[in-house]
Each structure stands twice: as structure tokens, then as C-alpha cells.
Amino acid sequence: FDPRHYLGTHCYGFPKTGPHRLRFLLESVKDLRETLKKKGSTLVVRKGKPEDVVCDLITQLGSVSAVAFHEEVREV
């Protein structure tokens, strides 16, 4: 979870993620983790800036050969 997603927007100061969206996200992540666990896998969940967290995870795991990601489109 990127803390920057819970701050106000740069245009009008409204939160990017309100309480209802946050609840939906948390429930979705919990459900995904439970589904993966039933299939013998797991889900890594971290809080922080993705550019820092992903780097730390790669260092921690040590045997990563590829990383895939998407970037949020920002309105100008």
C-alpha cells in the first residue's frame, strides 16, 4: 500500500482513497490472500513507496529474475 494514495489530490485536496474504497481494498486483499493460501501460495503485502518496497523485496528474496508493474496515469 502506497501511503501517497491516502493523501489529498494535487488539484482539489480530496482524498484519493476514502473510507469506502479503503474498506473495499482491504477486503479484496484479504480475500485474495485467502484464495492464494488455499492454492498453496501466498501474498506479500507491504506499506511504503513502491520504488523502495520492491527494491527491498528483491534484495530480501535474492533470486528475482523479473519484475512487472504498472504506473498510475496522472491527469495534468
Side-chain angles (χ1 to χ4, degrees), residues 23-41:
R23 183 180 313 124
F24 173 77
L25 287 171
L26 293 173
E27 290 173 356
S28 298
V29 168
K30 181 180 177 185
D31 183 64
L32 177 58
R33 176 179 270 160
E34 290 171 1
T35 300
L36 289 170
K37 187 176 179 181
K38 290 176 186 174
K39 296 183 180 287
S41 190

Side-chain angles (χ1 to χ4, degrees), residues 60-74:
Q60 181 183 1
L61 295 171
S63 62
V64 177
S65 59
V67 176
F69 66 94
H70 79 277
E71 184 176 354
E72 179 180 0
V73 177
R74 292 187 165 196

Side-chain angles (χ1 to χ4, degrees), residues 44 56-64:
V44 175
D56 291 344
L57 282 172
I58 291 170
T59 302
Q60 181 183 1
L61 295 171
S63 62
V64 177

Side-chain angles (χ1 to χ4, degrees), residues 37-54:
K37 187 176 179 181
K38 290 176 186 174
K39 296 183 180 287
S41 190
T42 189
L43 178 66
V44 175
V45 178
R46 297 287 186 266
K47 175 185 170 190
K49 294 179 179 178
E51 57 270 25
D52 298 330
V53 172
V54 171

